Amino acid sequence: MHSARSHLMRAYSRQPISFVRGSGARLWDEQGVEYLDAIAGVAVTSLGHAHPAITAAIAEQAETLMHTSNVFRIDWQERLGERLCKLCNMERVFFCNSGAEANETAIKLARLHGHRKQIAQPQILVMENAFHGRTLATLAATDSAAGQHGFGPLTPGFVRVAFDDIEAVRHAAQELHGIVAVLIEPVQGEGGIRAASPGYMQALRSLCDQHGWLLMLDEIQAGLGRTGAWFGHQHAGITPDVMTLAKALGNGFPIGACLARGAAADLFSPGQHGSTFGGNPLACRVACAVLDVMERERLPHRAAVLGDRLLAGLQNALHGHPNVRAVRGAGLMAGIELDRNCQELVGRALAEQRLLITVTRERTVRLLPPLVCSESQIDEIVTRVSRLLFREMAGSDVAAHGESLPVEATP
Ligand SMILES: *Cc1c(COP(=O)(O)O)cnc(C)c1O
């Protein structure tokens, strides 16, 4: 099995571990060792692994019809579109296969919106610390010098301003010509779990109205219950003009969506955008099954309750830890910011605690547990994270004094 790895492009630095089976928040590796999953495939498997309703939807639809193309009407696509629009007050949706594609769609809408207004060089305001994907346009919208390095020339048409800072947006409005839209994550995920304040989101909404800009929200990570509401922007009581979804929408089956309302919903005319796989019967049926489970089990509410428990547990357990700068959360998105690069914690969490975590922006431990976790699994995540952090930092302090502690392999 290992020789196959040499034929894969080295786009990822991977952990030397391969999972073969999962159930809910639990995973098993090739040796049958059990792990606790506190990242849900990076905010994708919100219903946990191998959810029976999703498995059944995939099996039934695969037996019936998987793909016909967007040359034809697709019943499951229409049903999913209607359900999503009802959930978030939008009017129309375009389906694709990933988050970056959903954002590409939003960017194309923004440019069309500008050209309608005779703006030849439309500009989109994007945020410091933002993440919007890895395609060329979304890479330019993303704030990552490392991610952009080597891929120039970057797609033009993006102007970056400080996050959660309304004065920065007002200033840009005065200084710049041709702004047509604002693209923002209501909670920055890759950026280290930072939520925009409700007051800022409301002020942004009115600035967009005042200037005729589209307010475009990237809810790919924060949407679909993760923050304790169906969508991250609902905490501010606003409605966007354009919103993108992906990640949890298929619980691991690839699907993305770009939703719009008002004038933005009618910008595309036939032939202006498309996707071969986008919105196929299988993907859309799976997403309908995901929404069924989320509605039936009230998972957005559950994420709020479990998120409070996780955040309180982490704050309590890590209180006074000398290297912890901040513990932040929004529903079941939690970030523990340390005072140093802590990327090696991902491997140590696996080896020492049998726990899946991620580290983002080098210094922030990020937790994105499935929304179907039990209370005791949330408590177990807190226990393992705090054991990891106290052991880690104790080890490194000793190392700083010239000794080094051996790393234990098992908890
Ligand atoms: C993951 C993510 C994306 C990119 O989604 P892909 O499916 O990897 O293309 C874009 N925006 C946000 C906020 C994300 O978390």
Side-chain angles (χ1 to χ4, degrees), residues 312-327 336-339 386 389-390 393-394 397:
L314 290 171
Q315 280 169 342
N316 186 42
L318 299 175
H319 181 77
H321 190 296
N323 307 107
V324 172
R325 284 277 166 274
V327 181
I336 304 157
E337 186 180 331
L338 300 177
D339 61 358
S386 69
L389 287 181
F390 277 103
M393 296 309 164
D397 282 353

Coordinates of all heavy atoms in Angstrom, one line a residue, residues 312-327 336-339 386 389-390 393-394 397:
A312 N -16.7 26.1 27.4 CA -16.6 26.2 28.9 C -15.6 25.2 29.4 O -14.7 25.5 30.2 CB -17.9 26.0 29.5
G313 N -15.7 23.9 28.9 CA -14.8 22.9 29.3 C -13.3 23.2 29.0 O -12.4 23.1 29.8
L314 N -13.1 23.8 27.8 CA -11.7 24.1 27.4 C -11.2 25.3 28.2 O -10.0 25.3 28.7 CB -11.6 24.5 25.9 CG -11.8 23.3 24.9 CD1 -12.0 23.8 23.5 CD2 -10.7 22.3 25.0
Q315 N -12.0 26.3 28.4 CA -11.6 27.5 29.1 C -11.3 27.1 30.6 O -10.3 27.5 31.1 CB -12.7 28.6 29.1 CG -12.6 29.3 27.7 CD -13.8 30.2 27.5 OE1 -14.8 30.1 28.1 NE2 -13.6 31.2 26.6
N316 N -12.1 26.2 31.1 CA -11.8 25.7 32.5 C -10.6 24.9 32.6 O -9.7 25.2 33.4 CB -13.1 24.9 32.9 CG -13.0 24.5 34.4 OD1 -12.6 25.4 35.2 ND2 -13.3 23.3 34.7
A317 N -10.4 24.0 31.7 CA -9.3 23.0 31.7 C -7.9 23.8 31.4 O -6.9 23.4 32.0 CB -9.5 21.9 30.8
L318 N -8.0 24.8 30.5 CA -6.7 25.4 30.1 C -6.5 26.7 30.8 O -5.5 27.4 30.6 CB -6.8 25.6 28.6 CG -6.9 24.4 27.7 CD1 -7.1 24.7 26.3 CD2 -5.7 23.4 27.9
H319 N -7.4 27.0 31.8 CA -7.2 28.3 32.5 C -5.8 28.3 33.2 O -5.4 27.4 33.9 CB -8.3 28.4 33.6 CG -8.2 29.6 34.4 ND1 -8.6 30.9 33.9 CD2 -7.7 29.9 35.6 CE1 -8.4 31.8 34.8 NE2 -7.9 31.2 35.9
G320 N -5.1 29.4 33.0 CA -3.8 29.5 33.6 C -2.7 28.8 32.9 O -1.5 28.9 33.3
H321 N -3.0 28.1 31.8 CA -1.9 27.5 31.0 C -1.0 28.6 30.5 O -1.4 29.5 29.9 CB -2.5 26.7 29.9 CG -1.5 25.8 29.2 ND1 -0.4 26.3 28.5 CD2 -1.4 24.4 29.1 CE1 0.3 25.3 28.0 NE2 -0.3 24.1 28.4
P322 N 0.3 28.4 30.8 CA 1.3 29.5 30.5 C 1.4 29.8 29.0 O 1.8 31.0 28.6 CB 2.6 29.1 31.0 CG 2.5 27.6 31.2 CD 1.0 27.3 31.4
N323 N 1.1 28.9 28.1 CA 1.3 29.1 26.7 C 0.0 29.4 25.9 O 0.0 29.6 24.7 CB 2.0 27.9 26.1 CG 3.3 27.6 26.8 OD1 3.3 26.6 27.5 ND2 4.3 28.5 26.7
V324 N -1.2 29.4 26.6 CA -2.4 29.6 25.9 C -2.8 31.1 25.9 O -2.9 31.7 26.9 CB -3.6 28.8 26.6 CG1 -4.9 29.1 26.0 CG2 -3.3 27.3 26.4
R325 N -2.9 31.6 24.7 CA -3.2 33.0 24.5 C -4.7 33.3 24.5 O -5.1 34.4 25.0 CB -2.6 33.5 23.2 CG -1.1 33.7 23.2 CD -0.7 35.1 23.8 NE 0.7 35.1 24.1 CZ 1.2 34.7 25.3 NH1 0.4 34.2 26.2 NH2 2.5 34.8 25.5
A326 N -5.4 32.4 24.0 CA -6.9 32.6 23.9 C -7.6 31.3 23.6 O -7.0 30.5 22.9 CB -7.2 33.7 22.8
V327 N -8.8 31.2 24.1 CA -9.7 30.1 23.7 C -10.9 30.7 23.1 O -11.6 31.4 23.8 CB -10.0 29.2 24.9 CG1 -10.9 28.0 24.5 CG2 -8.7 28.7 25.6
I336 N -7.9 27.2 20.0 CA -7.0 27.4 21.1 C -5.7 28.0 20.6 O -5.0 27.4 19.9 CB -6.7 26.2 21.9 CG1 -8.0 25.5 22.3 CG2 -5.8 26.4 23.1 CD1 -7.8 24.0 22.5
E337 N -5.6 29.4 20.8 CA -4.4 30.0 20.2 C -3.3 29.9 21.2 O -3.4 30.3 22.4 CB -4.7 31.5 19.9 CG -3.6 32.2 19.2 CD -3.9 33.6 18.9 OE1 -5.1 34.0 18.7 OE2 -2.9 34.4 18.9
L338 N -2.1 29.4 20.8 CA -0.9 29.3 21.6 C 0.1 30.4 21.3 O -0.1 31.2 20.3 CB -0.3 27.9 21.4 CG -1.2 26.8 21.7 CD1 -0.5 25.4 21.5 CD2 -1.6 26.8 23.2
D339 N 1.1 30.5 22.1 CA 2.1 31.6 21.9 C 3.2 31.1 21.0 O 4.3 31.8 20.9 CB 2.6 32.1 23.2 CG 3.3 31.0 24.0 OD1 3.4 29.8 23.5 OD2 3.8 31.3 25.1
S386 N -6.6 18.8 26.9 CA -5.9 19.4 28.0 C -4.7 18.5 28.4 O -3.6 19.1 28.7 CB -6.8 19.8 29.1 OG -7.3 18.6 29.7
L389 N -2.0 19.3 25.8 CA -1.4 20.7 26.0 C -0.5 20.7 27.2 O 0.6 21.3 27.2 CB -2.4 21.8 25.9 CG -3.1 22.0 24.6 CD1 -4.1 23.1 24.6 CD2 -2.0 22.3 23.5
F390 N -1.0 20.2 28.3 CA -0.2 20.2 29.5 C 1.1 19.4 29.4 O 2.2 19.8 29.7 CB -1.0 19.9 30.8 CG -1.8 21.1 31.2 CD1 -3.1 21.2 31.0 CD2 -1.1 22.1 31.9 CE1 -3.8 22.3 31.4 CE2 -1.8 23.2 32.3 CZ -3.2 23.3 32.1
M393 N 3.5 21.2 26.7 CA 4.2 22.4 27.2 C 5.2 22.1 28.3 O 6.2 22.7 28.4 CB 3.2 23.5 27.6 CG 2.3 23.9 26.4 SD 3.4 24.4 25.0 CE 2.2 24.4 23.7
A394 N 4.8 21.1 29.1 CA 5.7 20.7 30.2 C 7.0 20.2 29.5 O 8.1 20.6 29.9 CB 5.1 19.7 31.0
D397 N 9.1 23.1 28.0 CA 9.8 23.9 29.0 C 11.0 23.2 29.5 O 12.1 23.9 29.7 CB 8.8 24.2 30.1 CG 7.8 25.3 29.7 OD1 8.0 25.9 28.6 OD2 6.9 25.6 30.5

